[in-house]
Amino acid sequence: MGSRLTAGLLVALAAVSLTTGALLESGLPPPPSQLAFILLGLVTPALGWLLAVRRPFSPYGWLLLATAVFLGLGSLGAGIALAAGTPAGVPGWLTGLFAVYFGLNSIFVPLLFPEGRLPSRRWRPVAWISAGTIGAHALGVAAAWPVSGPQTPPVSMTAAAVGALGQALSWVMAVIVLVGLVVRWRRSAVTERGQYAWMVAGATANILSFVALIVFLMGGDAGWGLVGVTGTLGSLPAAVGVAIVRHRLLDIRIGIRGSRLLFVFDVRPSVGDVLSSLGSAMEERPEPAALIGRLAASVRSALETTWAAVRLADGTRVVAGVEVGPPALVVPVRGGLGQLECGPRQHGRLTADDRRFLEALAVPAGLAIQSEGLAVRLVNAQEAERRRIERNIHDGVQQQLVALIAGLELARATGGGADLLAELREQARQTLTDLRELAAGIHPSALGQGGLVEAVEERCARLPVPTKVRAGEGLRATRFSDEVEGAMYFTVSEAVANALKHAAATRIEVRLDREDGRLRARVVDDGRGFDPATTERRGLATLADRLDALGGGLEMRAASGKGTQMTAWVPVDG
């Protein structure tokens, strides 16, 4: 809102001062030539407003607005001087701003094209020298404005000499900038060459217009003056306008919609638009690789690059478009999960605004990648668990049932005695016991019947070391969703199993409590501990993902020789 207001005020200042100065000079009604001067003079502030509002972080729009303001103030000074007949003083100094307009228009508008920045550091001396020559020209013109009287004061002669020197050097700098622009045009990529070609044509026409204007001032006919004024006011704004309309300068396009003549500003989608599109894609639950591909495609579409890629930390890389050459822009994804890469733009080149857009997108993109990675790990964990159950059934209960069936067939064939039947009965009981234990590993019956506290107590009652279970007040009679109770039960089970198998614990304590909207389980043992920085969490890693999917988390605190403390939590209602 601030940039829009500032740009509007600058446009108003330029337009009012330009129009007022022109009308003071010609009077009312203005002749057609003066109307043409006003209309051509308004093109530059209009383009500056468009760029400043649509791309407030780009200096180029503000440069055009500044150029237009100096043109307007110079015109106002000349109009006041001619109307009042007192060219000295304020009108003279305002008229000197014409020199600033000519300098900005001839040197800095082509030099800083298209992003409002110098092409390289080597152009800094040119910029500083140009600023000095423009200032000398303006001061010389302002101080040397003729005053009434039979003689010209010496100060005016000195000022005129300074102004003439500044003007001559400004010409030299304008030619140097034009040569540099031609070099940039020849070295530019194919997608940028059209923009630079029009600017080369505009800068060339601008210099030739100055020549025509000088010829007119030195006594040439009115035709030279018409060509000079028209070319000076219109050549460079025309080049910028064509770059906007045909070559998408700074990602802005103007066109016609339907049967109505409209200005349509084609601005890249915001980060929110991209995330909204990805959110709709996630609702369809595509494969993780497909969603990462959609993220890459969204980046490519938003920045209009030839290609875009998402590289994950594990080396996975998904590319949208046809990848040619090295990336033109690389931005790391939040949390070290990977990076976003972009090729060159289809039209123009990537700007600082594009980098800011990609950096803003990298934060939610990291969350999306992390979410998809969690989904992949959960799917892999479920598949591994399915295979474990299948293997246990095949190698355990299935083989026992096969042996039991074979024993029954043998008993039927031989008329089996009491000893054989007793042995078969014992096999059947053992098979039933193993089947119950297998089912308990999938979902303990105590968990479904008595709740979390009862299931944890039953699990810990069978441990070979003293284990104490403490539950918060009212927790024993409270039931939670199957997902929450299952996640907490298996996390506690894995923690106590690790304490026995890896930590050689002699005492274990389990604490269950509910506080501040969280269900928390803490398992503490007096085992040998471990170094968390060098030891993997093994089975707890999968359970941590399971808790994370529920909005919870898992923390481990351990040190060699000082035991281990595991804390798991999930949010619960109430």
Side-chain angles (χ1 to χ4, degrees):
M1 186 64 182
S3 60
R4 184 182 293 269
L5 177 61
T6 303
L9 291 176
L10 291 177
V11 169
L13 175 60
V16 170
S17 57
L18 175 72
T19 304
T20 302
L23 295 180
L24 285 176
E25 180 181 349
S26 63
L28 293 174
S33 59
Q34 203 72 328
L35 287 176
F37 172 81
I38 294 173
L39 292 177
L40 285 174
L42 293 178
V43 174
T44 298
L47 290 174
W49 177 87
L50 173 63
L51 296 179
V53 169
R54 292 294 170 174
R55 291 291 177 265
F57 296 107
S58 173
Y60 201 72
W62 302 104
L63 171 64
L64 293 178
L65 286 176
T67 304
V69 168
F70 283 116
L71 171 63
L73 293 178
S75 175
L76 178 62
I80 294 175
L82 293 174
T86 56
V90 173
W93 286 98
L94 284 176
T95 305
L97 297 180
F98 263 134
V100 180
Y101 160 73
F102 286 126
L104 292 179
N105 194 55
S106 304
I107 299 174
F108 284 97
V109 169
L111 175 61
L112 302 182
F113 181 84
E115 297 175 7
R117 296 177 178 82
L118 293 173
S120 67
R121 293 184 177 181
R122 292 179 295 178
W123 285 93
R124 287 182 177 179
V126 173
W128 283 109
I129 294 173
S130 298
T133 59
I134 293 172
H137 185 199
L139 291 174
V141 171
W145 189 272
V147 295
S148 59
Q151 296 182 348
T152 301
V155 66
S156 298
M157 296 179 61
T158 303
V162 172
L165 178 61
Q167 184 179 20
L169 290 177
S170 295
W171 273 74
V172 173
M173 303 313 295
V175 173
I176 292 175
V177 169
L178 175 59
V179 172
L181 193 62
V182 172
V183 173
R184 290 159 61 192
W185 165 63
R186 297 192 62 178
R187 294 179 178 177
S188 62
V190 176
T191 54
E192 301 176 354
R193 196 161 291 176
Q195 290 185 9
Y196 282 113
W198 282 102
M199 182 51 67
V200 168
T204 303
N206 184 66
I207 291 179
L208 295 177
S209 300
F210 270 126
V211 175
L213 197 58
I214 291 177
V215 172
F216 168 73
L217 294 176
M218 293 179 64
D221 57 35
W224 290 102
L226 179 61
V227 171
V229 172
T230 302
T232 301
L233 292 176
S235 58
L236 287 173
V240 175
V242 172
I244 291 176
V245 174
R246 294 194 59 183
H247 302 286
R248 307 291 301 277
L249 176 64
L250 298 179
D251 200 35
I252 296 177
R253 182 175 62 191
I254 301 176
I256 299 176
R257 177 178 294 172
S259 60
R260 295 180 298 168
L261 179 62
L262 295 173
F263 287 101
V264 181
F265 303 106
D266 186 14
V267 183
R268 78 164 67 94
S270 65
V271 173
D273 295 334
V274 176
L275 294 180
S276 177
S277 174
L278 289 176
S280 300
M282 292 181 70
E283 291 178 358
E284 301 173 4
R285 298 190 179 277
E287 292 295 324
L291 184 59
I292 299 302
R294 292 192 183 188
L295 174 59
S298 298
V299 171
R300 178 179 178 240
S301 175
L303 298 183
E304 293 194 336
T305 57
T306 56
W307 61 271
V310 178
R311 182 191 296 273
L312 304 184
D314 61 2
T316 303
R317 191 168 183 270
V318 181
V319 181
V322 180
E323 183 176 3
V324 177
L329 183 61
V330 178
V331 172
V333 172
R334 170 188 177 274
L337 300 174
Q339 61 188 28
L340 302 178
E341 303 173 357
C342 294
R345 291 194 61 183
Q346 299 173 8
H347 303 283
R349 57 182 177 179
L350 293 168
T351 65
D353 289 341
D354 298 324
R355 173 175 285 277
R356 279 189 286 267
F357 175 86
L358 205 58
E359 288 174 347
L361 184 62
V363 176
L367 296 176
I369 292 173
Q370 186 178 22
S371 175
E372 288 310 302
L374 173 61
V376 170
R377 292 195 299 273
L378 287 175
V379 170
N380 292 339
Q382 290 173 354
E383 180 64 18
E385 182 67 12
R386 186 191 66 78
R387 291 179 179 177
R388 184 189 69 81
I389 295 172
E390 181 182 6
R391 186 169 56 250
N392 290 344
I393 293 175
H394 179 272
D395 298 341
V397 176
Q398 179 177 322
Q399 299 302 323
Q400 293 174 11
L401 288 175
V402 170
L404 181 59
I405 292 173
L408 291 173
E409 291 291 339
L410 178 63
R412 187 181 66 174
T414 61
D419 293 340
L420 179 58
L421 292 177
E423 181 180 348
L424 291 175
R425 184 172 60 247
E426 186 60 31
Q427 287 184 17
R429 288 176 177 174
Q430 184 60 45
T431 301
L432 180 60
T433 300
D434 291 345
L435 185 59
R436 285 174 175 172
E437 290 182 355
L438 180 61
I442 299 173
H443 191 83
S445 58
L447 186 62
Q449 297 173 4
L452 177 62
V453 176
E454 184 175 324
V456 170
E457 288 177 337
E458 181 178 308
R459 173 72 175 89
C460 294
R462 300 195 302 266
L463 297 180
V465 299
T467 303
K468 182 182 297 184
V469 178
R470 295 182 178 180
E473 182 179 356
L475 195 59
R476 184 179 300 276
T478 305
R479 297 303 303 269
F480 304 96
S481 65
D482 291 343
E483 293 82 2
V484 169
E485 290 187 343
M488 296 299 281
Y489 172 80
F490 285 112
T491 301
V492 171
S493 297
E494 184 69 25
V496 297
N498 287 342
L500 294 174
K501 291 188 295 184
H502 306 298
T506 60
R507 187 176 68 257
I508 301 174
E509 181 177 351
V510 179
R511 304 171 192 166
L512 301 172
D513 62 78
R514 178 182 181 183
E515 185 178 0
D516 298 330
R518 290 182 174 184
L519 177 62
R520 185 181 292 104
R522 182 175 289 111
V523 179
V524 182
D525 67 66
D526 63 349
R528 65 171 65 98
F530 63 93
D531 184 359
T534 59
T535 305
E536 296 183 0
R537 293 188 295 178
R538 296 183 175 89
L540 287 175
T542 301
L543 293 170
D545 288 338
R546 187 171 179 177
L547 295 170
D548 194 15
L550 295 173
L554 185 146
E555 299 177 357
M556 298 291 293
R557 294 183 181 178
S560 297
K562 297 183 179 180
T564 303
Q565 175 178 298
M566 181 224 69
T567 303
W569 62 272
V570 290
V572 292
D573 296 332

